Amino acid sequence: MMMGYSSAPIGARENSEKDVISREAQSPTATRERPQEEPATANVKMRAGDLRAFFGKAEVIKGISLPFPENKVTAIIGPSGCGKSTFIRCLNRMHEVVPGARAAGEVLLDSDDIYAMDPVRLRRRVGMVFQKPNPFPTMSIRGNVLAGLKLNGIRPDDPDGLAEKTLRQVALWDEVKDGLGRSGMSLSGGQQQRLCIARTLAMEPEVILMDEPCSALDPIATARVEELIHELQKQYTIVIVTHNMQQAARVAQYTAFFYMGELVEHDETNVIFTRPAQARTEDYITGRFG
Ligand SMILES: Nc1ncnc2c1ncn2[C@@H]1O[C@H](COP(=O)(O)OP(=O)(O)OP(=O)(O)O)[C@@H](O)[C@H]1O
Ligand SMILES: [Mg+2]
């Protein structure tokens, strides 16, 4: 397990600063170039390029470039208000739905510009799971799983088969199979969140965006969702916002640290949590601020 965050000594602050300085002395661009390094073994499924996001005149994402390798989990961490939710909402064009909000820059899915796509079709390819489980309150469990398709006017050939398949994927089938007609709201919070993930999966997306998907869950439900993320990455590319450092360390191969609308550092997760290049990253992960 990558538990460097909680157990490995990160070392005295002076040392790490010296490391950074000596690295910079050897090569003036070494630390700056590191985040741009491409993962050697994975394709990049999605990529933000100089992405900017505004609410009215306020620029809250200030030019972020970040690759999302295929079939990998990328975690986004950073203090409250730094722009994590805004950033991931730009990746499926949910940001621009807010009145007065706009985005600039580039987001590529495979090699296609998402801002040239039909947003409804894009959101089928890039699904989203929210912080608070939000099953449709008037719908049954089965109805919830199929709701996204219905809203998009898609009629699956075998709706019952699809509902079973996706509920199995989120490991909820055995718990609900005898009561598929029950209200989605009759489930526990953790079950509701798995139901919402099933609703996203039923759309057969390629990328799944998750904004603090476990923040309303207890440790057991959280562990189940984390196991699920681990399974899902075999088939999907996942971007997860989390305030929980251990969670990032457990589920993500890559981690990006945001601060005040900017990307401070992006690297393999174990590097971010054991030997970050930037003092601000180290301050955050060791709890010195944020
Ligand atoms: N609807 C909105 N209108 C105006 N400003 C907004 C709106 N939503 C967010 N902001 C501002 O944009 C900035 C980024 O907010 P965002 O919600 O992306 O942060 P976050 O990193 O997700 O924070 P948290 O960890 O608390 O969820 C903040 O300064 C916030 O006040
Ligand atoms: Mg947020």
Side-chain angles (χ1 to χ4, degrees):
M1 287 302 288
M2 293 179 290
M3 290 310 293
Y5 157 73
S6 54
S7 55
I10 292 199
R13 172 69 181 282
E14 292 73 21
N15 279 344
S16 74
E17 273 181 352
K18 222 187 297 157
D19 282 355
V20 171
I21 291 163
S22 68
R23 261 198 302 256
E24 276 175 346
Q26 285 160 9
S27 158
T29 54
T31 47
R32 190 162 310 146
E33 269 178 13
R34 201 147 150 247
Q36 260 75 48
E37 255 175 36
E38 297 298 331
T41 52
N43 292 323
V44 173
K45 179 68 187 173
M46 195 174 219
R47 179 191 296 279
D50 196 24
L51 185 68
R52 292 168 192 280
F54 303 82
F55 288 104
K57 288 205 172 80
E59 187 181 31
V60 302
I61 297 295
K62 301 172 181 170
I64 289 184
S65 299
L66 199 53
F68 300 102
E70 187 160 37
N71 299 121
K72 302 284 177 200
V73 181
T74 300
I76 298 177
I77 61 169
S80 184
C82 72
K84 304 175 298 294
S85 296
T86 305
F87 178 80
I88 68 163
R89 289 164 56 87
C90 289
L91 302 180
N92 73 346
R93 297 186 54 179
M94 295 270 290
H95 172 64
E96 68 200 49
V97 172
V98 177
R102 69 182 176 89
E106 186 178 66
V107 179
L108 300 179
L109 177 60
D110 297 324
S111 48
D112 303 323
D113 175 5
I114 69 162
Y115 284 92
M117 290 179 196
D118 168 38
V120 176
R121 294 191 61 169
L122 168 70
R123 288 177 205 133
R124 261 162 45 198
R125 296 178 64 188
V126 182
M128 190 150 191
V129 175
F130 299 88
Q131 181 168 4
K132 244 182 113 228
N134 57 349
F136 295 117
T138 58
M139 286 188 194
S140 66
I141 292 169
R142 178 185 179 280
N144 262 285
V145 177
L146 301 171
L149 294 168
K150 199 169 174 197
L151 284 170
N152 277 278
I154 304 167
R155 285 164 180 275
D157 294 337
D158 176 12
D160 290 319
L162 181 65
E164 177 173 342
K165 185 181 130 198
T166 44
L167 287 168
R168 282 189 188 280
Q169 261 183 303
V170 300
L172 195 55
W173 177 249
D174 287 335
E175 291 157 63
V176 302
K177 65 183 178 206
D178 298 324
L180 292 174
R182 268 163 57 201
S183 162
M185 301 303 286
S186 68
L187 299 173
S188 74
Q191 289 172 327
Q192 286 183 22
Q193 191 61 304
R194 280 181 283 147
L195 178 64
C196 293
I197 296 172
R199 184 174 67 196
T200 301
L201 297 183
M203 306 291 289
E204 301 189 321
E206 297 157 52
V207 178
I208 304 177
L209 310 173
M210 298 181 159
D211 193 353
E212 300 187 51
C214 300
S215 65
L217 307 184
D218 75 12
I220 292 168
T222 295
R224 298 203 65 169
V225 172
E226 288 181 3
E227 276 165 33
L228 173 59
I229 291 170
H230 194 70
E231 279 304 305
L232 293 177
Q233 89 178 64
K234 294 173 188 159
Q235 263 180 285
Y236 306 90
T237 300
I238 298 175
V239 185
I240 179 173
V241 171
T242 180
H243 277 282
N244 180 330
M245 301 296 137
Q246 285 94 340
Q247 178 166 79
R250 285 190 296 260
V251 304
Q253 289 80 46
Y254 297 92
T255 295
F257 171 57
F258 285 17
Y259 185 65
M260 290 174 72
E262 296 186 60
L263 173 66
V264 174
E265 188 166 356
H266 168 237
D267 212 317
E268 289 176 15
T269 297
N270 65 341
V271 174
I272 294 287
F273 287 116
T274 56
R275 44 196 156 89
Q278 303 294 330
R280 270 184 302 176
T281 313
E282 188 175 324
D283 286 348
Y284 182 69
I285 62 173
T286 56
R288 268 188 277 253
F289 75 84

